[in-house]
Amino acid sequence: MNETTKEPFFTAPWPAVVLSGLILALYALQSQFDTTGDLVYMFGLNPRLLWKYDTFYALFTTLFLHGSWAHAGMNAMFGLAFASGVARVFGTRIGGAALFFIYYLLCGVLAGAVYCAIFPDRNVLIVGASGAISGLMGAAIRIGPGYMLPFTDKRVVGMTLAWTVINILSAFVSIVPSAGAIAWEVHLIGYALGLLSIGTWMRLFRPRFYSV
């Protein structure tokens, strides 16, 4: 009789699992100790305040705050789904995991910075890791087996169109219950950053990927 090898049910690389768990754990702490919402106002991202008072730290700190359990849960779920592919090609050793988390943070910080540059006078408060998660989504859709899928690939085009439509609709219809208004522009900016940058990032730090 031929023996069959059973594939493990859960195959997500540990950096993706840690990222998803951190999103939930940090919101658990936030909801437990920040009952008045002070942290959100102190460390959330406000474009007008960013330029007027140089609160550039908020580009970073806002990534660790969320508006509700639904908001945090959605980001954790999408993070686990799309971070897995990106974390896997970076590698699960310490060096690869570090590159993965740095890339994640850069996507989030740059998504917020570009949003604030486009809308410098908006007096809105933005919290959440959605820009960074969207960056991972854009990156993941480009990753093939040892090569980057071209921008014209049907999977890349299809995912890009779907994500664009979903986010434009979210401007008019609440998709995440109790999450409040969604900064859908940040999602699209983060997605575009991931889509455009992952090839360069891999060539710089993981050139062996292209020899797979």
Side-chain angles (χ1 to χ4, degrees), residues 138 141-142 151 153-167 188 191-192 195:
I141 201 64
R142 291 270 332 270
F151 296 111
D153 184 271
K154 62 182 181 180
R155 286 166 289 185
V156 176
V157 173
M159 182 62 184
T160 301
L161 288 175
W163 191 235
T164 300
V165 170
I166 289 170
N167 278 282
L188 294 181
Y191 181 87
L195 198 71

Side-chain angles (χ1 to χ4, degrees), residues 80-92:
L80 187 61
F82 291 98
S84 294
V86 181
R88 194 170 284 115
V89 294
F90 283 161
T92 55

